[in-house]
Amino acid sequence: MTRSREQTTRVFLGLGSNLGDREESLRRALRSLESGSFAVDRVSSIYESEPVGPVRDQPRFLNCAARGSYSGSARELLALIGRIEDSLGRVRDVPKGPRAIDIDLLYFGGAVIDEPPLLVVPHPSIPDRRFVLVPLAEIDPDLVHPAFGKSQRELLSETRDQSLVIRVRGAP
């Protein structure tokens, strides 16, 4: 069955940056998403967070979450995200290393998609990342994770991740 161009999917994205003008990188990424047919309708505040993962000796991140609508497939959105990251200077030489911009596809409607390594939705790290859960809970605390049946508010209250996530300012 072919999807009509009028049909859209509610999508949630996580954005982060820890190189250069971090806040401007978030703004440029959001503008680029809208130019690429992702209709943003809500953006969280900006949060600063410490790096998580194997490369800890790097600058802190600025993070936010965006909610919007998209009329294409998850695979098409992932391709758009890749093009935007590349245009904004994303370099993928160190996994989990410093980056000018990082855009993660967190939720694509209520879909559960398992096409590793690139297309896994919901994003598998959501329950383990405060820097993702805090902005998500701000913009849609009752959004239910389709695999776990828990809201973002519940996932945030249950996460074992206690890393520092500080609200810096309102939406970019």
Side-chain angles (χ1 to χ4, degrees):
M1 179 172 153
T2 306
R3 172 178 246 175
S4 163
R5 281 310 213 188
E6 287 77 42
Q7 291 180 317
T8 60
T9 303
R10 175 60 47 103
V11 177
F12 291 81
L13 303 175
L15 294 86
S17 174
N18 75 338
L19 292 178
D21 186 337
R22 302 172 299 165
E23 193 169 336
E24 181 59 23
S25 292
L26 297 176
R27 279 193 203 95
R28 289 179 62 201
L30 289 165
R31 284 193 305 268
S32 295
L33 284 161
E34 290 192 309
S35 296
S37 73
F38 181 85
V40 176
D41 66 32
R42 185 109 195 254
V43 179
S44 74
S45 299
I46 296 174
Y47 294 88
E48 188 170 59
S49 63
E50 40 193 9
V52 175
V55 184
R56 294 210 180 242
D57 186 22
Q58 59 180 308
R60 290 179 181 237
F61 280 84
L62 287 187
N63 300 96
C64 68
R67 180 181 74 188
S69 299
Y70 187 71
S71 60
S73 70
R75 187 176 297 285
E76 290 168 330
L77 180 55
L78 194 62
L80 171 64
I81 287 169
R83 289 191 304 272
I84 291 169
E85 288 177 334
D86 290 346
S87 74
L88 296 178
R90 170 81 189 259
V91 177
R92 291 171 171 75
D93 57 350
V94 178
K96 308 282 188 204
R99 45 210 177 267
I101 191 68
D102 182 32
I103 306 171
D104 288 328
L105 175 53
L106 302 174
Y107 292 104
F108 192 82
V112 176
I113 305 169
D114 191 19
E115 299 176 17
L118 297 179
L119 187 55
V120 180
V121 179
H123 193 288
S125 297
I126 291 171
D128 304 316
R129 300 289 190 246
R130 284 182 53 80
F131 69 85
V132 171
L133 287 167
V134 170
L136 276 175
E138 176 188 329
I139 62 174
D140 199 337
D142 298 320
L143 171 68
V144 174
H145 190 293
F148 299 135
K150 295 183 178 185
S151 70
Q152 302 312 290
R153 181 186 296 119
E154 291 170 309
L155 291 172
L156 179 58
S157 72
E158 295 172 2
T159 189
R160 287 186 250 158
D161 178 13
Q162 295 304 309
S163 61
L164 189 62
V165 178
I166 301 168
R167 183 180 181 278
V168 175
R169 66 183 49 82

